[in-house]
Structures are given as structure tokens and as C-alpha cells.
Amino acid sequence: MAQTRAIVITGNGTNCEMEAAHACRMGGFDEAVIAHIAEILSGEVRLDDFHFLNLTGGFLDGDDLGSAKAQANRLKHASVSGSGEKLVEQFTRFINAGKLILGVCNGFQLMVKMGMLPAFDGDYLNQSVTLTHNDCGRFQDRWCYLKVDASSPSVFTKGINKGIYLPVRHGEGKFVCDSDATLQRIEQEHLAVFKYSGSDYDAATMEFPANPNGAQNAIAGICDPTGRLMGLMPHPEAFIHYTQHPRWTREELPEAGDGLILYKNAAEYVRNNLV
Amino acid sequence: MPNRIEIALKNGVRDARGERIKREIGHFLHLAVEEVRTIDVYTVDAPLSPDLLEQAAAGPFSDPVIQLWSLDKPLAEGFDYAVEVGFRPGVTDNVGRTAREAVSYLTGTPLADGEGVYYAVQYLLKGAMTVDDVENIATGLLCNTLIQRYTVLSSQEFSRKGGFAAVAPKVQAETRAEVREIDLEVSDEELMRISKEGVLALTLDEMQIIQKHYRDPQVLEARSKMGLSARPTDVELECLAQTWSEHCKHKIFAGTVQYEDEHGNRQEIKSLFKSFIQRTTKDVREKMGDKDFCLSVFKDNAGVIKFNEQHSLVFKVETHNSPSALDPYGGALTGIVGVNRDPFGTGQGSKLIFNTDVFCFADPFYDKPLPKRLLHPRRIYEGVVEGVEHGGNKSGIPTVNGSLVFDERFAGKPLVFCGTAGLMPARVNGQPGHDKYIKPGDLIVMTGGRIGKDGIHGATFSSEELNENSPVTAVQIGDPITQKRMFDFLIRARDKGLYRFITDNGAGGLSSSIGEMAGECGGCRMDLAKAPLKYPGLNPWEILISEAQERMSLAVPPEQIKEFLAMAERFGVEATVLGEFTDSGVFHMQYGEQTVAWLPMEFMHEGLPPMQLPAKWTPPQHPEPVLEEKNDYTDELKQLLSSLNICSKESVVRRYDHEVQGGSVVKPFIGVTNDGPSDAAVVRPILDSFEGVVTAHGICPRYSDIDTYHMTANAVDEALRNYVAVGGSLELVAGLDNFCWCDPVLSEKTPDGDYKMAQLVRSNQALYDVCMVYNLPLISGKDSMKNDFYDGTTKISIPPTLLFSVIGKIEDARKAVTMDVKRPGDCVYLLGCTADELGGSEYLAMKGFVGNKIPKVDAMSAYARYQAYHQAVLQGLVASCHDLSDGGLAVAAAESAFAGGFGISIDLSRVPWQGPEDGWRDEALLFSESASRLLVTVRREDSEAFEAIMGGEGCSRIGVVTENPLLSIEAIEGHDVIMADLSELKEAWQKTLREL
């Protein structure tokens, strides 16, 4: 049987590569490779050889020019050694081949700043939304309830009942659109996959700390219209097993954490459609 | 002429940074400002076309959704004053560095040497204020003038001048490569002048030893062969000063102490380090026999113990106090990224798995006058907290454990303890991971950042030396991303076996790292001219001792060098061959062809005789408070919960990523609403295993006012009981000692030096005594011995402080225990006895007293109790457990109750008491800080089994968990002595630091 292969890009300040690769394996991928950006730029590793790309959490280039800005610039302009192609061409080829990309936290920031989300009309390189400084002005590590839009096209969230509980760990997570039209279109097309909510997952909330950053319409994560590209500020890879839950010593919890389903869905999609 | 690119937020976009500054102006300077807006400024000093500059502005420098940009045209409008703040020449400018690299992706080639991009922030202030107010805002808040420069323009001046001028803060200097010779054939006074003026910090004895060395005919003969005269070069003298500094050589801990106790008994102690610290480890290891788990102690950058058959644990804790006093942000940031390099540079290198941090500050709400030159404690608090936040978060290492300790004397010097643990393979390419060696002929390689004048001579309190043209030498700013890149590369190079030896470049720079490495094989030859520099103008001695950050030194076998350098280049890491290791017995430095230092290794490392240190112990007597007995102590409890040392630190802890790497098991905040304070941290460093690492610490400087022996015993006990509380195993746990003392060397400046030295002796005695009983080998540590402030009139000495950290294992992390009560009906047990020991307590401090009845640790009985308790944990009998420390039983019970969301009802008459009956009072039962106690809850159905395991080990059932959310404590006499709603107690506990 063909192998399902996930890749996690690291380097220049990415931090969550180890647990993201672990989550991919736990989710059912046959292989999860951690590749340093240097190995991709040198041509040793090619995105074409994988089905699921993880752009995960960290502080790319220290977020010095604004979160993930410097890496977005690098990916757009850097060339791959010996191939004569720009790295960005590998990305567009990956997307056009119908493959999956999940951006978490810094990876989500990178995706929106590259223009890969929400990517209306198949334009994956024009930025229309951003993630900026939390309203509270501080980095926050806290757990949040995320209401899931069951009507969203996201392939990652199939089967989620009402919502999931995950940690956020960011200073620049406030979701902002460039116009009301963009926001409306995101809502109309059900691209706002995750919204910060109360513990019952009933209604989105703008109240701190349930909404930790003041995001527009409480949006915590979005997907593109195909549902194959998704980004979110909370960390699904940080809740794969019950011992990662802040209250596991006092609540009866299932073995698997809420975040695992995203990786399971990704693995299943790949198995059914890409291999 | 450089170009200015400005980036402003679009109208209607919230300026969180500006809002924060506005709040701080109101809070600190009591000035009402209407509005603060901010603009980012990039000054590009490179010949780029306008088209490229616009691409940079519109691309990497700005976010089109929320920001606007301009090129060489100011964006500011609608303000009364503008303040622009940028770095001084030569100061690490991380944003500028990233911007420079971003530009090079656009042009396709790196910027040339001398070209650059520099970052600044423009603050636009609106409101009624004077120029003086603005100056105050600039120097009091926006700018640390040690490392930053600022310009103020009123709106009129701004429009007249067309905004701020484009200035690139470039270091203006020429390569001189000067080597001076110093004549030591001079009077003693002259020797001391040389030492003082050169900031060498060498004593007269030490200067005379050096003088004598340069009279030795054999030395002179060898020198003449190398083309050197009989006079030392500045490179040699600086190198010796570094190698022999207190910071590197630990002369106080290595000195000979004449100790006299309160009874007049005299004792000569040859080296506190050898007599107590090393001996503790040696004796504990012997006692443990084949259960000994220590792998590498004291000899490397960090201690190494066994974790399992495949992996070893590495741990180190450091301090960065003086730099944090000068520049709290940069000092603390450097502290954390600096200690990261210790476990990374231990053995063959380890992967970093968590950070810990403990800060000691003065009251951030301090409102009395401070000596000039001391920063306000709130600024230190803000800066240190942010520095460690950036250092830890950006490095991708979870900050899992720590604390904040407050005492007014920390206004003189804040203490910033930063710890880092690592995990290394037990074997790397067939060799034990914790071992390393060097063969003569191996190449000296430096990787990472470049060398500048950063941190030369460490931090000094004088800003006069600094001006626009001289780069800052006093302060370093860490760059976590450059370091992260280097680690990403080196850990892969380790696994490929591309180097033989690795160590950190910290204090003393190359002189220390290469000096120590040369000791491994017996010599080295290095060409300082080969070292990559940040900017020209460094003399050879400066290159040798610079403490520029983010550098590691390695020994690379010649046959691997090609692959090593090629891989470094691929990973974007600078790596340079500087020379080779030898067995010549000489530390040989060249600058090009010229020999600039030729020091026999033996003289460098063994040439220094021990210091002679007098120590005399006279126990202090404090007024014994007589406090009126009260019927109700609810108000006292609330006041204690709000006190700085006890209150919730959640506003700080949430700023630290404590979950990255995915192994978090017991988090800093837990309980029904994720806001109860954990005793210790548990992490799983290997995600497909349930073996956990447990870490905890103890620190109690207040007890030093009574007796440092008991201060130390309590700190060790606090660390171990926190560790035990969450389920840490007593079979595999090790300790780290970090001493922060005030100067204990008797001198004119320190007339009570012999008392402070005696405090140090007593602390060491306790360390040995308690660790021996607890089977705690000491695997690493550090001392910082000069934590005083003195400006000629005011002297502030910190209370002698020991931070004791522990690291160990929990076999199955799924058995970990947290401190929140779990369900109504559970039985409440108190383990351990309470005594009339309010001396040095938070309670007495709140009443304005110190007292004398200090808590004493009965280590033998405590250890038996901890062992029994651990058995109960392994059998799953413990529902919750919280350690009793600051504030005693009342505070612990309140915390456990509100963390769990259920009430606790306690009967004080059932609390086991030790000692004279006349001290048996409600007050002592509630607030005494007697050591080695744990508050445990157990399911009713498990209570029999629990009691059976605890047996006679000081376990008493004192109450029950209740559905009713109340803390109710019954007095000895039977009335309610505390009765309070949990929400009120929690509010009291949370409110103090919530807004900081």
C-alpha cells in the first residue's frame, strides 16, 4: 500500500515541529518527516514528495518584522539550489496538486501573510487578512473553547460535534480582515472554521479571556474554499493525549485529546484521495 | 545618505503598544497623556534603488491589511511631541538584523560589510505636557539611555525640520590591532592602579603573583623565543584577569575560611566547595552504591544524571543579576539564552526541554525615594519579565516552573535565576553522550554570532564611558533566533559526529572557553585575527575576552572540518576555524603572524593561591513579638493571600509558553478554572513514553535574617517536598545549589564581612547535612557573591539567598498529583508536625516583625514521611496534595480549596503539635511555617489504605472537603477562627498583581 507522508517544516525559529510530527503519526500518517528549511532550500527535501504540509508554531525570525513576515518574504523570494525554481513554486504546485496544508499559530500567521488563506478564487498569494497584536497587549498561554462551524468545507474538522478545547500561546493572534467584504465572504462561505466560545460551544464570544486576543467575529481559524488549507491560532498538536489537558487529574477524559481528530481527518483524506 | 522607511498603523487600527505606553506613563510618571501612537522606523544604510526600497517597505516591512508605509517622508500627524528611540551604535539590534536579511532576499545578495538596516520606534504623544515632561517620559520609560538613544521633537520643530533626520547608528572605528605591553616592575600602588584602571579586579596579591611569573628566567627565555619581552601583553593580563576572576574561578568558594562559631570554637575550612558541595555529592553517591544515577557532576557546563537506559537528563541554573539591574530586559534575555547554552554545551550536547525562572525583586509598588542610578523596582519587574518571556518563548523551550520573591533589599540588586534542562542520548555515535575529549591537532572552531565589544569587563554601573561613538560594552542583548539557528545546526552535526567537544562561550568569552578546552589536551594555538567581528576596531585583547552572545566553541577533527563548515553554511550559521588544540602546555594566542599571548597552562589554571577568609558567627537576636490572641483570623488570612510573596503570579506565568514541545503534564496553573498554583512541574520529554521529568525549587531568603543554616535547610526541604507532592520519585532526584550572597569578604567597605562569611559557612553546613539525609546529590550550581549596591553613601545588601532546584523522575506521569481538592467528602490530612515556629514567617513580616523561632527541618522524619507518601501516590490513593510554605496551613488550605472549587473544613485541635504546650495557639497552628508538611486529600474509601501506608509518619486527619464553597477552620477552643467564602479568598489572592 502507498505511504501517506506528512512533512513539518522547521528552522529560523519554528518550535513545535516535534509535537506536530508526533501528532501526524498518532493521527495515522505512515511517515512524518521534520525538514529544516535549509534542507528544502538546498534541494535535499522536496515538498512534492509529501501529501500533508505542516507549518507549525514558533517565532519565525523572532517575529521581528511582525509575526512570520520575514519567512513569508523568504518563501516568496528564495530560490531552491540547483533547480532554478523559486521555493514559492513548490508551494503552489503542492496546493494545485490537491494536497493539504495546516498552519498552526505562527504557521497560520505565515499562511495569511503569504496570502494562502482565505485564498478566494484560487489566488493563494495575495494577502487579505492578518493576525496582529492581542488586544490585551501581552503574550497569552491559556486554554480556549473553540466552536466549530459544522458547515465549513474544512476537511480537517469532519465529525467534530460542537467544538474542541485547545491551548493558545501567542502575542499576535487577533484576526483582522482588510475589509467588511472580506469578513462577510468568509462568514458566508463558512470559512471561519473555529470561533472562540464559552465552555458549552454555543455562541462565539468577544469576552477576554475566553476570546484571548479580541479577534474579529471571534475567529480563531479559517480555511480556504476547498477546505484543504486551514490555519488556526490554537494548538491542536498540544492536545493529543489526555495528560496534556489542564484538568486531567480531576476530569474523566478519553485517551485521545481533542486536537487529534484534525490529524486523523488529514490522514484519512490523504489515504482516500491522494495515494 | 541613509533612507528612512516608516510604517504606521492605518486609521482605526488599535495600537496596543501605544496604549500600553499610555497606561505606563499614567502609572509611573503620574502624567495624563491623551493618546500615544507608535510608528516603526527602518533606516536603510545601503545603496538600494528607490524601487527596491519600496519593495522592502511594501513587502517584508509592513502588513498591508493594517499598516501604511512611506519612504523618506514622515507619516506622523496629529501629535504634540514625537520621541524617536533607537539603539546606540554596536548594540544588538535583532529587528534590524532580520530586516537586513529580508532585504538581501529581495536583492538576491547579502548586504556588504558596513551596510545595514537599523530599527527605531517613534512615539507620538498627544496631550497637555511640557518639554520636561516629555524628557521624563523618554528617559523614564521609553528609552534606556545605556543602550538606546532618543530624540524629542515638538510638532512645530517636527514640521520645520521635516521630521527626524535619517541617522544610521553605525560603529565608527578603524582596525588598529594594537597590543600594549604593561610594565609590572613598579611599586605596589602602581600595580593596584593598573588593576583598577584596567577593570581587571585583581588584588595586590594576585598582581604580585603575576609580577613574579614575569621574573622567572625560564619563562623569560621561552618568551624571547616567541619574540615577546619580559613584560606581559595586554592580551595576557586581560586573559589572566578573566581566568582568575571571582566569576570564573569562584575564589570565595575555593578560599580557606577561618570559621568561629557562637561558642568560640574555631575551624579551618579549606574550600567550601570541596568541603561541603563536592563532598555532599561524593558521600551521597557512595551511600547509594549501585543505585547511583549521577553521570557527570561539576566538571561540565551542567550536571548530568541518568533518565533511562537511552537518555540522560542535564540541568543547570544560572544568575544574571548585575546586567539585569542595568538593563532589565537585555540582562534577563541574555540570562535565559545564556543558560540555554550550558546544557546545550554539556557532554556532546543536549536538546533543551524546559526552562525555569525565579526572580527576586523589591516591591513593584515601592513609593519611597530610591538612591540615584537604581531603576524603580517596577521597571526592573517589567523588563525582566519581558526579557525572559522573549528569550524563553522565542527559543521554543517551555518555562515550566518558577517563582517571584519580594523583599525591599532586592532594590539594591534584583536576582534573576534562569535554569534550563536538556535531554541527551545516553550514547552518541557509540560514545557516552555526557563524555567528550579533545585530541591535539583538533581544530578550534567558533560558531554562531560575531564578536563585538559586548560585555567586555562585564557590566559596570558607569554610563560615562558610553557615548554616541563608543559602542556599548556594559550590556549585552541576547538574540534567541541566531542561537536557535545555531542549535538547529549543531544538534544535527552532533548526530553526524562532526565534532568531538563543545562548550559555551559565556563569561570571559574565548579566553574562558578556549582556555578550559585547552586544559583538556594541554594547549592551544589560536589566531585572533581570524575571528569574525561585528564591526572593525577591536583590539586583540577585546576579541579574546568579549562576551558577545550566541557563540559556542568546538573542537572539530581535521578530517570532519569540510563537512562541518559546509553544513554550517547550508543552515545559515557562521562557523570559523581559529586555530588548533595542542599538547604544548601553552595557551598561545596570535594576531596574524605575531604572538600576542604566551601563557603556560599550569600558571593560568593553578597559579593562584587560595584566598584567606575570616568568618565569625554571632546569632542575631530580634525582638520577640507578643501578639494579641484573636478570635477570628479571617482578615489576616486575606491579607496574607494578597501579600506579594503569596499572591497569584498568573499575570506573569501566562506570558510564558509553558506547553511548547507538547510534554506538559502538570502545568503551573491547574484546578477547576485553571488558576490554582502548582507545587512543581511534570513534563514528558519523550512523547511516546509516559516517563516524566519533575522539577521544583525552594527559596526562602527571609529566614537568613535569623540563621542561614535553617534558611538553607528549609530551601532544600521546600524543593524536595514540592517535588514529592506531585509524585516525584525519591530514587532518582538530584539538587542544584545557586548561592546569591552579599559580599562576604571582610574589608573597609564591608566591615561585617566576617559575619556574612559565617552565614555562608552555615548555609553550606546545612546543605551537606540535609542533602545527606535526603539522598540528594548536588550535580551543578553557581555562586554570585557580590550582590550589593553602594554609591558611597547608601549601601543595600541583599539577604543571603540560596535557590535550591531539584530535578528527578516520575516513572509514570499518569500518576502525577495536583494540588486542587477534587470532590466533596474527601478526607483532609496534614502530614508532618506543626510547631511554634513563626520566626521569619510571612505572617510576622506582615505584622512588622522578624522574630527568632525559625522553622527547623527534621530531615530524618521528613524523609520517612516523603517515602511513605510516595508509596500512596504510586497506589493511586492521593486525590490532591499541596505543600505548606509561606503563610502556613491557612494559606495552603485556602489555595487547595479555591483551586478545586470545593470548601474545606478543618479542626485545629487535630493538627499534630510538636514542642512546648505554651506555644500551642491558633495563630501558630494557622500561620507557622514549620517545614516538611503536606496537605493531602484522599477519597473516603481510600482513607484506610492511606492511613495504613502513612503509619506513624506524622499523618493526621484534620478535616473534610465540603460541597459548600467555604473555608471554615475551627479553633482549638471550638469556635470558627476562619470562615470565608472561597470567592473572597481567591479574589484577595488574585488582585495584587493581576494588572501587572
Side-chain angles (χ1 to χ4, degrees), chain A residues 64-80:
Chain A
D64 285 337
L65 308 177
S67 59
K69 284 292 295 182
Q71 177 90 334
N73 180 62
R74 183 182 289 117
L75 296 187
K76 280 191 175 176
H77 297 282
S79 305
V80 178

Side-chain angles (χ1 to χ4, degrees), chain A residues 48-184:
Chain A
D48 305 271
D49 298 331
F50 297 87
H51 308 108
F52 176 36
L53 168 61
N54 286 265
L55 300 169
T56 191
F59 285 81
L60 284 162
D61 301 276
D63 283 355
D64 285 337
L65 308 177
S67 59
K69 284 292 295 182
Q71 177 90 334
N73 180 62
R74 183 182 289 117
L75 296 187
K76 280 191 175 176
H77 297 282
S79 305
V80 178
S81 295
S83 70
E85 72 175 352
K86 296 255 181 195
L87 182 53
V88 70
E89 294 169 42
Q90 280 196 22
F91 272 84
T92 31
R93 196 159 63 234
F94 190 89
I95 293 167
N96 292 334
K99 295 174 174 180
L100 306 184
I101 305 182
L102 179 64
V104 172
C105 196
N106 204 210
F108 182 29
Q109 293 163 338
L110 176 63
M111 286 179 83
V112 304
K113 290 179 188 189
M114 293 275 295
M116 286 157 66
L117 287 172
F120 297 132
D121 309 316
D123 178 357
Y124 288 97
L125 292 173
N126 255 319
Q127 184 182 351
S128 61
V129 303
T130 197
L131 293 153
T132 185
H133 294 278
N134 299 348
D135 274 353
C136 66
R138 300 247 195 254
F139 182 97
Q140 289 290 306
D141 179 338
R142 58 172 73 247
W143 283 62
C144 292
Y145 296 94
L146 304 164
K147 173 181 158 59
V148 170
D149 183 347
S151 314
S152 100
S154 168
V155 305
F156 297 93
T157 52
K158 303 291 171 223
I160 292 179
N161 190 6
K162 292 184 79 178
I164 54 177
Y165 187 50
L166 296 176
V168 298
R169 312 193 305 250
H170 62 247
E172 297 182 44
K174 180 183 178 179
F175 182 83
V176 178
C177 293
D178 63 352
S179 66
D180 286 345
T182 302
L183 183 59
Q184 271 174 25

Side-chain angles (χ1 to χ4, degrees), chain B residues 671-859:
Chain B
V672 66
T673 45
N674 304 344
D675 54 7
S678 277
D679 289 332
V682 180
V683 298
R684 285 188 301 135
I686 303 161
L687 293 177
D688 41 25
S689 156
F690 289 107
E691 290 166 297
V693 181
V694 185
T695 189
H697 68 273
I699 183 168
C700 32
R702 270 176 300 105
Y703 295 152
S704 292
D705 290 336
I706 302 175
D707 188 345
T708 50
Y709 183 94
H710 298 295
M711 177 277 283
T712 301
N714 277 288
V716 176
D717 182 65
E718 184 183 14
L720 192 69
R721 74 176 179 262
N722 277 317
Y723 169 89
V724 166
V726 299
S729 159
L730 292 161
E731 302 279 307
L732 202 160
V733 53
L736 286 83
D737 54 280
N738 281 78
F739 288 87
C740 281
W741 234 248
C742 34
D743 189 357
V745 181
L746 185 65
S747 71
E748 257 171 60
K749 259 194 313 191
T750 313
D752 56 349
D754 53 350
Y755 174 72
K756 290 169 173 168
M757 193 64 214
Q759 288 184 302
L760 186 63
V761 171
R762 293 185 63 73
S763 175
N764 275 276
Q765 288 170 333
L767 198 59
Y768 180 83
D769 294 349
V770 179
C771 288
M772 273 306 285
V773 179
Y774 285 171
N775 289 326
L776 268 174
L778 302 169
I779 57 166
S780 180
K782 202 68 189 272
D783 56 276
S784 161
M785 304 307 289
K786 311 262 168 167
N787 293 292
D788 310 85
F789 169 80
Y790 187 56
D791 63 2
T793 50
T794 310
K795 180 160 185 173
I796 307 174
S797 293
I798 64 149
T801 303
L802 172 76
L803 171 68
F804 195 81
S805 310
V806 294
I807 184 166
K809 187 172 178 182
I810 179 169
E811 286 295 336
D812 184 348
R814 292 169 294 190
K815 294 215 155 105
V817 173
T818 55
M819 52 72 68
D820 47 321
V821 299
K822 300 298 187 297
R823 65 192 75 75
D826 282 5
C827 306
V828 177
Y829 290 90
L830 183 61
L831 312 189
C833 285
T834 305
D836 183 12
E837 292 177 325
L838 282 166
S841 66
E842 275 299 317
Y843 179 75
L844 282 196
M846 183 174 89
K847 301 276 183 191
F849 296 100
V850 175
N852 302 289
K853 297 173 187 167
I854 191 166
K856 294 189 173 128
V857 176
D858 177 353

Side-chain angles (χ1 to χ4, degrees), chain A residues 19 64 69 130 141 244 249, chain B residues 62-63 98 659 661 667 818:
Chain A
E19 58 268 41
D64 285 337
K69 284 292 295 182
T130 197
D141 179 338
Q244 293 164 316
T249 60
Chain B
S62 69
D63 182 329
T98 302
E659 301 179 85
Q661 300 191 12
K667 301 181 202 302
T818 55

